[in-house]
Amino acid sequence: MYIRTTRNAAGQSYYHLVESYRDEGKVKQRTLLSLGRVEDGKLDQLAHAIAKHRDLLSALDVAKTIGVDATYVLGPLLVLRGLFAKLGIDEALVRVEREHPKLKFSLRGIVFALVVARFLRPTSKLAVYEQMLERFYPDVLRADDIELHHLYRAMDLLAVSKEDLETSLFMHGRDLFSPQVDVVLYDLTTLRFESTQETEKLRRFGFSKEKRNDCTQVVLGLVVDPEGVPLGFEVYPGNTVEGKTLTDIVHKMRNKFRVRRFIFVADRGLLSKANLDAVRSVHGEFIVGMRIGGLAKKRPELYDRARFQQVADGFEVFETTFGNDRGIVTWSRDRADRDEKVRNDILEKIRAKLRAKRKVSPKTFVSNTNYRFFLKGLDKGETPAIDEAKVAAAAKKDGFFAIVTNLHDKSSVELFAQYKELWRVEDVFGELKGTLKARPVFHWRDQRIIGHLTMCFLALVCEAHVTRALGRERDNYGGRAVREGLLAGRQLSAVSVLRDLTEVRAIPVTIGRQRLWVRTDITGHAALLFQRLGLGIPPKLLRREDVVAQDDDAAIGARDDS
């Protein structure tokens, strides 16, 4: 190689690094690198730079000796490894391992791998085994000893250890002086199976919140604290009536967790005398949503805003009694606007169907209860038409909402604020069905179904702590569209951060007889998450090892120089 000077049409001179080579017996030259314009002292600077690094191979020779075969998942492994330790998940799983001394695989390792997989690409256990395990950075998770049946056996162990795991996670880091949980939020959802076959006790047909009554399902009850951190869950047969789960969950919560006051918050679907009595039976307190639409004639004061007290702009409260319990009815402008919009959207869809050229019959609206409520003429063979009286009656109820409670030491505003926290359960359910995709569930046996959901529960706990860590500092999303002013700023979500985290990779670079494990940069949202969770960022050079036999990747003598 040598440096050659060239001149362009404008008379400007440039330095180039040129290499000679042979092509079919003829000597030719090719330019490897442009070194900039010719200037006084520039050649001396280039010579000095070359002399300084004369012991290095040429760029072309280095390229010939470097090998990069694959990249490995690193970012999610580092964060989840830290969370498993901080939250006591490792400790709880070790306790399970000790209770099964004949266990021939690492329960911790397998559960960790499956939780990581939920964040990367939720899929079946078989797909995790075939497509994902070997792509994890081996220094954090070595998959050599994991066999396929270990993943299914781990589900069985999680199922039988579910109660102990929940209690261990709840008690981790707590002592006699730790703040105790006052309020627990409870709600239910349904998880369907892509199957019509009922098996054992859990998989049953029932009312589906996903509106898929053609599939078997299970009913999942979830309890979270006011910060959205899951505390526990229960699985019920798919045909279980929503209200009947409350008695069971209340007694289990009292027995499982140390709850000082046990204020139970649930939505309107769980309101019944039997359910409220179940809470009272364990000296619990409750805040439960209440439907008051059917009480308009008997209790007209519930909709008389002249009796309401304004406590904030666009928010009014009226307090009454329902038996021995307090009833708190609220009216808000925001809710009234939302109710009106929902109703108008329904009416517009009805009008569109009525205006359609094809003949309209009662069958046109038979499958939609929202449509039927505002229509008349459906049962008499007449042409359907909008019932304006029902529309007017519904409009009078816009903005009203009620709760019933047996708490007497909190104000109406405080009680309503605690009820509104139920959105956190809905948010957790959204993560369970969305980001972490608890379904589809690829299991038939009840025990495996419970084991799978226990694994998803552990993933939810980790995700909830990521959300809480980001929320405490109110960190904002800083994506390119926000930086360029194309989108308004918004609070940073766990989903956005975890998406960035998947781009942090470990790369094995083979140079001659050495393999260097290096990581990609940890910047932006990913770096922020490490900071918020108090996790250290590893060095850029993760590990260095000698390649003993290049033709046998298994024969590696590792030397840790990180």
Side-chain angles (χ1 to χ4, degrees):
M1 282 184 293
Y2 60 94
I3 294 176
R4 181 168 64 186
T5 303
T6 62
R7 189 185 303 273
N8 64 15
Q12 296 173 328
S13 298
Y14 292 85
Y15 290 127
H16 297 277
L17 183 64
V18 179
E19 178 189 52
S20 297
Y21 67 100
R22 287 186 177 275
D23 183 14
E24 297 180 352
K26 296 181 180 181
V27 177
K28 297 183 179 181
Q29 290 79 35
R30 57 188 168 199
T31 299
L32 299 178
L33 189 66
S34 177
L35 301 175
R37 294 178 57 178
V38 173
E39 299 173 356
D40 291 341
K42 184 67 173 286
L43 191 59
D44 291 338
Q45 294 175 12
L46 292 173
H48 177 72
I50 293 171
K52 182 178 179 181
H53 301 285
R54 61 182 178 275
D55 57 327
L56 297 179
L57 297 171
S58 68
L60 187 58
D61 289 337
V62 170
K64 293 177 181 178
T65 62
I66 289 180
V68 180
D69 297 327
T71 65
Y72 293 78
V73 175
L74 177 64
L77 273 71
L78 294 175
V79 168
L80 289 170
R81 181 179 64 177
L83 285 173
F84 264 51
K86 283 178 174 289
L87 304 179
I89 299 176
D90 273 339
E91 182 181 328
L93 292 174
V94 167
R95 193 174 296 114
V96 175
E97 289 178 338
R98 288 173 181 165
E99 293 173 355
H100 298 81
K102 295 184 179 180
L103 196 63
K104 295 185 178 180
F105 60 86
S106 170
L107 179 64
R108 283 180 297 161
I110 290 174
V111 172
F112 179 72
L114 292 173
V115 169
V116 171
R118 301 321 291 178
F119 284 93
L120 290 176
R121 180 167 54 87
T123 186
S124 67
K125 313 298 181 297
L126 177 60
V128 171
Y129 178 77
E130 290 185 330
Q131 303 168 15
M132 301 182 71
L133 285 180
E134 293 182 351
R135 298 267 57 86
F136 295 154
Y137 176 50
D139 268 18
V140 177
L141 179 64
R142 188 166 293 278
D144 298 350
D145 299 328
I146 297 179
E147 300 177 15
L148 178 59
H149 70 92
H150 293 162
L151 275 62
Y152 298 111
R153 175 68 177 132
M155 295 300 98
D156 297 332
L157 287 174
L158 287 179
V160 299
S161 307
K162 169 187 171 296
E163 303 297 326
D164 291 337
L165 287 172
E166 289 174 344
T167 304
S168 295
L169 297 187
F170 180 80
M171 297 303 298
H172 179 72
R174 296 178 185 268
D175 54 35
L176 293 175
F177 303 101
S178 298
Q180 295 182 338
V181 176
D182 282 338
V183 181
V184 293
L185 313 175
Y186 179 65
D187 205 352
L188 293 116
T189 191
T190 54
L191 296 175
R192 74 178 188 273
F193 299 85
E194 301 297 332
S195 170
T196 58
Q197 185 172 346
E198 296 184 333
T199 60
E200 298 187 1
K201 296 181 179 180
L202 290 180
R203 292 174 58 139
R204 290 290 183 271
F205 287 101
F207 174 76
S208 171
K209 292 197 172 186
E210 300 172 281
K211 301 188 183 301
R212 287 296 305 272
N213 296 325
D214 59 323
C215 298
T216 56
Q217 64 179 21
V218 295
V219 174
L220 178 68
L222 184 66
V223 179
V224 307
D225 72 12
E227 290 189 287
V229 177
L231 301 177
F233 73 97
E234 294 299 331
V235 189
Y236 302 97
N239 58 359
T240 304
V241 177
E242 192 174 63
K244 291 184 178 180
T245 66
L246 190 58
T247 301
D248 178 66
I249 202 77
V250 164
H251 286 281
K252 287 184 177 179
M253 283 293 299
R254 251 315 186 200
N255 295 332
K256 190 186 304 183
F257 304 131
R258 185 180 63 186
V259 181
R260 185 173 54 194
R261 287 190 62 181
F262 198 79
I263 303 174
F264 209 81
V265 184
D267 70 7
R268 295 178 293 184
L270 295 170
L271 177 63
S272 73
K273 183 178 184 303
N275 287 339
L276 299 187
D277 287 344
V279 179
R280 291 188 180 97
S281 69
V282 291
H283 307 290
E285 297 166 297
F286 55 82
I287 306 171
V288 182
M290 184 177 185
R291 293 185 177 91
I292 57 174
L295 299 176
K297 292 183 178 179
K298 294 182 179 179
R299 303 284 299 270
E301 74 274 12
L302 301 181
Y303 290 100
D304 183 4
R305 286 181 55 195
R307 296 172 176 263
F308 284 57
Q309 177 184 359
Q310 181 172 331
V311 295
D313 186 26
F315 187 75
E316 302 170 2
V317 173
F318 169 65
E319 184 164 341
T320 183
T321 58
F322 295 106
N324 295 324
D325 299 319
R326 295 170 67 189
I328 298 165
V329 186
T330 65
W331 179 90
S332 73
R333 168 56 58 192
D334 289 342
R335 188 179 187 90
D337 292 342
R338 186 178 72 230
D339 291 345
E340 182 181 16
K341 182 180 185 305
V342 170
R343 183 177 59 259
N344 288 339
D345 288 345
I346 293 172
L347 292 173
E348 182 55 38
K349 291 177 182 179
I350 293 174
R351 293 187 182 103
K353 288 182 177 292
L354 294 175
R355 290 193 301 263
K357 293 182 180 180
R358 62 182 181 179
K359 184 178 179 180
V360 178
S361 69
K363 293 182 179 179
T364 307
F365 304 99
V366 70
S367 62
N368 194 310
T369 55
N370 290 327
Y371 290 171
R372 294 176 65 84
F373 179 81
F374 292 110
L375 288 167
K376 59 184 178 180
L378 295 177
D379 301 322
K380 300 178 181 179
E382 303 173 1
T383 300
I386 293 177
D387 190 332
E388 297 296 345
K390 286 188 177 180
V391 173
K396 292 180 180 179
K397 299 177 182 179
D398 286 350
F400 290 92
F401 191 83
I403 57 176
V404 60
T405 179
N406 62 347
L407 275 76
H408 296 280
D409 61 341
K410 292 181 180 291
S411 70
S412 300
V413 175
E414 288 177 309
L415 291 168
F416 190 74
Q418 288 190 327
Y419 180 83
K420 287 180 67 176
E421 291 297 310
L422 268 179
W423 70 267
R424 296 188 184 274
V425 192
E426 294 295 334
D427 195 47
V428 173
F429 276 143
E431 292 298 328
L432 184 66
K433 291 185 175 181
T435 307
L436 300 179
K437 293 183 180 176
R439 62 154 308 276
V441 183
F442 299 96
H443 298 291
W444 294 85
R445 292 172 46 209
D446 288 358
Q447 183 166 273
R448 291 274 169 87
I449 293 170
I450 295 173
H452 170 78
L453 293 175
T454 303
M455 181 268 296
C456 292
F457 170 78
L458 296 177
L460 269 179
V461 171
C462 293
E463 190 274 340
H465 280 275
V466 169
T467 299
R468 186 172 70 170
L470 297 172
R472 282 176 173 171
E473 299 296 331
R474 299 188 178 277
D475 295 310
N476 289 325
Y477 175 73
R480 179 179 177 181
V482 173
R483 295 196 302 271
E484 294 178 356
L486 302 176
L487 289 177
R490 63 181 186 273
Q491 187 168 334
L492 184 60
S493 69
V495 175
S496 300
V497 178
L498 294 170
R499 183 171 57 242
D500 289 357
L501 201 62
T502 60
E503 300 302 319
V504 179
R505 316 284 290 188
I507 306 173
V509 181
T510 302
I511 304 178
R513 291 184 175 275
Q514 277 203 331
R515 179 172 293 134
L516 306 179
W517 286 83
V518 298
R519 63 164 174 81
T520 56
D521 289 338
I522 301 176
T523 59
H525 298 149
L528 180 65
L529 181 59
F530 275 82
Q531 179 183 345
R532 294 291 180 255
L533 293 176
L535 302 176
I537 293 180
K540 195 71 176 281
L541 177 60
L542 300 170
R543 181 159 58 96
R544 178 184 300 170
E545 59 193 19
D546 295 328
V547 181
V548 176
Q550 294 186 22
D551 59 343
D552 183 3
D553 288 339
I556 297 175
R559 183 179 74 245
D560 187 356
D561 292 338
S562 58

